[in-house]
Amino acid sequence: MKKAHIYIILFLVSFAGFSQSKHTVIKGETLYSISKKYNVKPDDIIKLNPDAKDGVKENTVLTLPSNAKAVASFKPTLNKYEYQVQQGETLYAISKKLGISVDEMIKNNPTSKEGVAAGQMLTYFAPKKYFSTQTQPVKTEVVAKKEIPNLHTIQAEETKYSVSKKYGISIPELEELNPHIKNVFEIGMQIRLNKNTVVPKTVVADVQPTTTKTMFYAVQQGETLFSISRKFGISVDEITKKNPAVSTGLTVGMELLLPEKKEISSTIQSDAADGLKKKLNLLETANKTKQRNLVLLMPFNINRIEKDSAKTKTEYLKTDKFLNITLDFYAGALKAIDSAKVLGLPINAKVYDAETSKYSSNVATIIKNNNFSNVDVVIGPFTNSHVETAGQLLDRNTAIISPLTNETGKGGSNVFYAMPNETIQKQQLLSYLKSKSDAIFAIHSAAKTSLSSYFASNYPEVKSSSFNDKGLFDYTVFKTTLQKGKKNFVILDSDKIMQVISVVNNLIKLKKEFDIQLVVIERNDALDFEEIPSKNLAALQMLYPSAIRENESIEASNFAKAYRKDNKVQPNQYATRGFDVTFDAILRMCQEEGFIKSAESQGSEQIESQFNYSNNNNYGVYMMYYNSDLTIKQAQ
């Protein structure tokens, strides 16, 4: 019967395939020209070929709508055109506007790979017919070369690109003459245009008291709108208003126009809300000449398995969840060690079976019977108390990492907790919410009072209310507290299914009048109940803090591919965690200053996790939300 179902599914898939025709993209074709060729809408093609929203590439095979009919008379005659970049536009936005892929735009305009600036002219090819209802071609004018002055004072709206074009100097040459403009490009700053010019000591031009000073800032690797807003002490809304192009996302090197405010120190303060460090590429600064030693204390508990005659090893693998977590984490850690060796990092790794239970461990015996004097980092075991025992027994220069538990630890100066604990996640969440809006509300079940007390003590600005003893909530009164013209964050703290359903359904109704976003401190089973459709959570863009993110990057794909090759299965969250914790530890221990000093000053990001240590705790928390397309995205 099962096979019959499979055959039916295959038949239906095959039948569906015959109802739609295909088209192979030829050189010079655009999404628009193909839609005209088959007399269909571009959006209809995108629905069947989501990747086509970014433009189409030569030799790509597109699935066409069932009503597609080739228009025999259509011949895509290519014409060369030029497009003038408008204020705030990005290469991605322009490619979508013209129906041409980003790759094709870069191919015809190599310098656009580093970004585009207002007024820049871009060359592209498209069918002449395309412009009957679209943008008209822009004619180029030959401008006589002007004599280059010695100094230039940066004006409003200017970028490094526009200045370099104005004077015929490349951006690298401009930065070589003026090293101080590599990361900051401020209005009023005077810059040299030749080697023999001396810049006056006073470099900022006089500004009228009513004028707000602004500056340009180049986006760094791993930065988000939220982290940049925190870095310069300005709101995300301020950044967005001055840089409309950020609505399509940030790219490394993108220049943002920002109000001039003092940059906040990248050193993490003890306050969890300031737990954002500049993420660095630790591989670039790693010392590849000095041997480093790593130890993994993995709680395999092999002796217990060997002595248990009631179960076979296969049965243990099927039923022992803790053993499976250990094996998955270990497989990910091995992949990190292999990757480090391929990259030329001189790592010597040893693995010990840390036989542990809730109350006992052989960690002390392992340390006593083996030489740990030259060990740089120890990862594991998985219980905080046993990790802290290792920390007490080992030299203070040896870092010990608790890799998985999110419980609050009580370790010494050399014990690090790689998983953000619950308190940190709450602090980071509230910090994020406050940076977006002051309209923050909380709805609790009558039985849950801990979070309400926490807000009252630490965040009194959060307006809390609760269901009564009968499980009822007065939404009429609650509505009067919501604020129009602002984002209203509503934190739901309940694991009772009927209460969750009630809140979700009523917030959707209220969303017709107010800008509302649902927030939870953690995802619980009630949210997965079948009577709470994911589309409703997506409609409310449910937001929550998380130690991990969804990552669709090339690096993540390469890791998954390599892991599958070695283990014949897709890496789960514990395998990826094993890789992330171990690879981050290796990179830090290979820094000149070692793991402990590196953790004090440097942030990093791996496949699914980021590591921003402060007081030996990791403050690397992501804000994730349900997107309208039912995917989970990282909030900015």
Side-chain angles (χ1 to χ4, degrees):
M1 188 66 185
K2 188 174 181 181
K3 287 184 177 180
H5 286 161
I6 295 173
Y7 291 143
I8 291 171
I9 292 170
L10 289 174
F11 171 76
L12 291 174
V13 172
S14 301
F15 182 78
F18 283 114
S19 68
Q20 296 169 324
S21 55
K22 307 286 184 179
H23 173 81
T24 302
V25 180
I26 62 175
K27 185 175 181 180
E29 284 189 316
T30 66
L31 182 63
Y32 182 84
S33 68
I34 295 170
S35 70
K36 287 298 182 184
K37 181 174 183 178
Y38 292 97
N39 197 26
V40 294
K41 296 178 180 178
D43 287 346
D44 292 337
I45 298 177
I46 292 174
K47 286 179 183 178
L48 296 173
N49 308 270
D51 291 342
K53 67 181 181 181
D54 297 330
V56 293
K57 297 180 181 179
E58 186 180 355
N59 296 324
T60 300
V61 178
L62 299 176
T63 300
L64 299 175
S66 56
N67 63 334
K69 295 179 181 179
V71 180
S73 61
F74 183 88
K75 293 182 180 180
T77 304
L78 296 182
N79 289 266
K80 183 177 180 180
Y81 296 103
E82 289 187 326
Y83 178 81
Q84 187 172 28
V85 179
Q86 304 302 305
Q87 181 64 40
E89 285 188 320
T90 64
L91 189 62
Y92 174 74
I94 294 168
S95 69
K96 289 186 70 178
K97 184 176 183 178
L98 299 177
I100 300 169
S101 72
V102 172
D103 288 343
E104 191 69 23
M105 293 295 289
I106 293 174
K107 181 180 177 181
N108 294 319
N109 307 271
T111 60
S112 67
K113 188 175 183 180
E114 299 177 5
V116 294
Q120 180 181 347
M121 305 300 292
L122 299 177
T123 300
Y124 62 100
F125 295 86
K128 186 174 182 181
K129 189 176 181 180
Y130 174 75
F131 292 97
S132 59
T133 59
Q134 301 293 325
T135 307
Q136 295 300 317
V138 181
K139 295 180 180 180
T140 57
E141 296 180 5
V142 179
V143 180
K145 188 174 181 181
K146 298 179 181 179
E147 185 178 346
I148 299 176
N150 294 325
L151 289 171
H152 173 78
T153 302
I154 300 172
Q155 305 299 312
E157 309 301 327
E158 282 189 323
T159 67
K160 278 185 275 187
Y161 181 87
S162 64
V163 173
S164 69
K165 287 298 180 185
K166 182 176 183 178
Y167 296 109
I169 303 173
S170 69
I171 292 177
E173 287 176 319
L174 204 59
E175 291 180 340
E176 185 178 349
L177 289 168
N178 306 275
H180 55 288
I181 69 169
K182 285 188 176 180
N183 291 326
V184 179
F185 199 72
E186 301 179 356
I187 292 174
M189 180 185 288
Q190 288 186 305
I191 55 177
R192 295 194 303 166
L193 300 174
N194 60 60
K195 293 181 179 180
N196 299 321
T197 304
V198 178
V199 180
K201 289 184 179 180
T202 304
V203 296
V204 180
D206 291 333
V207 180
Q208 297 298 324
T210 56
T211 304
T212 301
K213 291 183 180 181
T214 55
M215 56 175 276
F216 280 95
Y217 175 75
V219 178
Q220 307 298 304
Q221 180 69 41
E223 286 188 318
T224 64
L225 279 177
F226 178 59
S227 65
I228 293 171
S229 72
R230 294 300 304 279
K231 183 174 185 178
F232 290 95
I234 55 181
S235 70
V236 172
D237 287 341
E238 285 181 278
I239 299 175
T240 305
K241 285 177 182 177
K242 288 188 173 294
N243 305 272
V246 301
S247 60
T248 60
L250 295 181
T251 57
V252 176
M254 177 187 287
E255 291 183 330
L256 303 179
L257 182 63
L258 305 177
E260 186 186 89
K261 295 192 179 182
K262 186 177 180 181
E263 183 174 351
I264 298 172
S265 171
S266 60
T267 303
I268 293 185
Q269 305 300 317
S270 58
D271 185 358
D274 292 325
L276 287 166
K277 293 179 185 174
K278 182 178 179 182
K279 298 185 185 74
L280 300 177
N281 186 343
L282 297 176
L283 181 60
E284 291 182 356
T285 54
N287 184 338
K288 297 184 179 182
T289 61
K290 184 178 180 180
Q291 180 76 40
R292 303 289 185 174
N293 298 303
L294 172 70
V295 167
L296 301 178
L297 295 178
M298 297 288 99
F300 297 124
N301 293 312
I302 294 174
N303 283 338
R304 176 168 61 85
I305 296 173
E306 293 288 351
K307 292 176 181 178
D308 190 347
S309 58
K311 287 185 179 180
T312 65
K313 293 182 179 65
T314 302
E315 288 174 327
Y316 261 106
L317 288 173
K318 287 182 179 180
T319 60
D320 193 324
K321 184 178 179 180
F322 186 73
L323 175 60
N324 277 277
I325 290 174
T326 302
L327 292 172
D328 290 334
F329 183 95
Y330 179 58
L334 289 181
K335 182 50 62 182
I337 293 169
D338 288 345
S339 299
K341 290 180 177 179
V342 169
L343 293 169
L345 299 176
I347 298 299
N348 178 41
K350 290 185 179 181
V351 183
Y352 295 99
D353 181 5
E355 299 173 17
T356 61
S357 66
K358 187 175 182 179
Y359 302 106
S360 64
S361 167
N362 69 341
V363 168
T365 303
I366 291 173
I367 293 174
K368 179 181 178 181
N369 295 338
N370 296 276
N371 182 11
F372 277 72
S373 61
N374 293 320
V375 173
D376 296 281
V377 173
V378 175
I379 299 176
F382 295 167
T383 307
N384 275 354
S385 60
H386 302 325
V387 168
E388 289 157 8
T389 296
Q392 294 170 2
L393 297 173
L394 292 172
D395 185 276
R396 286 294 176 265
N397 292 320
T398 300
I400 299 92
I401 302 174
S402 177
L404 284 178
T405 179
N406 64 353
E407 298 173 356
T408 304
K410 301 176 182 178
S413 61
N414 60 337
V415 178
F416 292 81
Y417 303 91
M419 181 71 79
N421 62 51
E422 292 179 3
T423 300
I424 288 173
Q425 293 197 39
K426 281 190 291 189
Q427 291 172 333
Q428 296 292 68
L429 172 65
L430 266 296
S431 176
Y432 173 81
L433 297 182
K434 287 168 64 179
S435 74
K436 297 289 186 178
S437 173
D438 58 3
I440 306 174
F441 307 87
I443 300 177
H444 311 270
S445 66
K448 287 201 168 190
T449 58
S450 60
L451 190 59
S452 178
S453 299
Y454 174 79
F455 287 152
S457 301
N458 299 281
Y459 301 94
E461 62 269 35
V462 177
K463 305 169 185 66
S464 294
S465 51
S466 66
F467 285 83
N468 62 26
D469 294 336
K470 295 181 180 180
L472 301 176
F473 186 80
D474 193 335
Y475 292 99
T476 304
V477 174
F478 178 70
K479 178 180 176 179
T480 63
T481 64
L482 296 175
Q483 300 181 38
K484 289 190 176 182
K486 289 185 178 180
K487 172 75 75 174
N488 292 269
F489 291 111
V490 181
I491 303 171
L492 173 59
D493 182 29
S494 177
D495 54 7
K496 296 183 181 298
I497 293 172
M498 296 311 297
Q499 290 183 0
V500 174
I501 292 174
S502 172
V503 171
V504 169
N505 290 342
N506 279 281
L507 289 186
I508 286 178
K509 292 178 183 177
L510 291 170
K511 193 170 174 63
K512 295 176 182 178
E513 298 181 51
F514 302 92
D515 184 1
I516 294 175
Q517 185 165 9
L518 176 64
V519 181
V520 294
I521 301 297
E522 61 179 349
R523 294 161 70 186
N524 57 50
D525 293 339
L527 294 167
D528 294 326
F529 189 65
E530 59 184 8
E531 290 191 29
I532 306 175
S534 295
K535 67 177 183 179
N536 287 354
L537 299 180
L540 294 169
Q541 292 190 307
M542 187 178 78
L543 178 81
Y544 61 93
S546 175
I548 61 174
R549 62 172 175 165
E550 303 286 328
N551 189 355
E552 299 177 353
S553 68
I554 295 175
E555 292 79 9
S557 176
N558 289 341
F559 163 70
K561 183 177 179 181
Y563 186 91
R564 285 196 305 270
K565 182 179 179 181
D566 290 349
N567 300 281
K568 312 305 178 189
V569 294
Q570 186 75 7
N572 61 19
Q573 63 179 22
Y574 298 109
T576 307
R577 185 72 184 170
F579 178 90
D580 283 356
V581 172
T582 306
F583 197 66
D584 178 75
I586 291 172
L587 289 176
R588 292 184 187 281
M589 61 195 278
C590 286
Q591 300 303 301
E592 198 65 47
E593 67 272 27
F595 181 98
I596 295 176
K597 288 293 183 182
S598 171
E600 291 175 359
S601 60
Q602 298 168 319
S604 80
E605 190 165 45
Q606 305 306 329
I607 302 299
E608 286 185 353
S609 310
Q610 56 179 322
F611 300 89
N612 288 293
Y613 288 104
S614 177
N615 294 331
N616 294 37
N617 288 291
N618 183 13
Y619 287 86
V621 179
Y622 295 102
M623 299 302 141
M624 310 300 295
Y625 72 97
Y626 281 51
N627 196 25
S628 57
D629 61 2
L630 302 184
T631 59
I632 295 177
K633 301 289 186 182
Q634 181 183 343
Q636 301 298 322

PDB file of all heavy atoms in Angstrom, residues 182 555 560:
ATOM      1  N   LYS A 182      39.191  55.258   5.822  1.00  0.00           N
ATOM      2  CA  LYS A 182      38.849  53.872   5.476  1.00  0.00           C
ATOM      3  C   LYS A 182      37.520  53.443   6.088  1.00  0.00           C
ATOM      4  O   LYS A 182      36.731  52.753   5.461  1.00  0.00           O
ATOM      5  CB  LYS A 182      39.966  52.925   5.911  1.00  0.00           C
ATOM      6  CG  LYS A 182      41.193  52.996   5.005  1.00  0.00           C
ATOM      7  CD  LYS A 182      42.202  51.928   5.334  1.00  0.00           C
ATOM      8  CE  LYS A 182      43.369  51.968   4.349  1.00  0.00           C
ATOM      9  NZ  LYS A 182      44.381  50.935   4.633  1.00  0.00           N
ATOM     10  N   GLU A 555      29.010  29.207   3.513  1.00  0.00           N
ATOM     11  CA  GLU A 555      29.785  28.513   4.546  1.00  0.00           C
ATOM     12  C   GLU A 555      28.937  27.444   5.235  1.00  0.00           C
ATOM     13  O   GLU A 555      29.410  26.334   5.492  1.00  0.00           O
ATOM     14  CB  GLU A 555      30.290  29.517   5.584  1.00  0.00           C
ATOM     15  CG  GLU A 555      31.335  30.493   5.078  1.00  0.00           C
ATOM     16  CD  GLU A 555      30.758  31.640   4.284  1.00  0.00           C
ATOM     17  OE1 GLU A 555      29.514  31.784   4.248  1.00  0.00           O
ATOM     18  OE2 GLU A 555      31.543  32.391   3.675  1.00  0.00           O
ATOM     19  N   ALA A 560      27.495  21.669   5.971  1.00  0.00           N
ATOM     20  CA  ALA A 560      26.492  20.601   5.914  1.00  0.00           C
ATOM     21  C   ALA A 560      26.905  19.524   4.905  1.00  0.00           C
ATOM     22  O   ALA A 560      26.762  18.319   5.171  1.00  0.00           O
ATOM     23  CB  ALA A 560      25.130  21.182   5.547  1.00  0.00           C
TER      24      ALA A 560
END
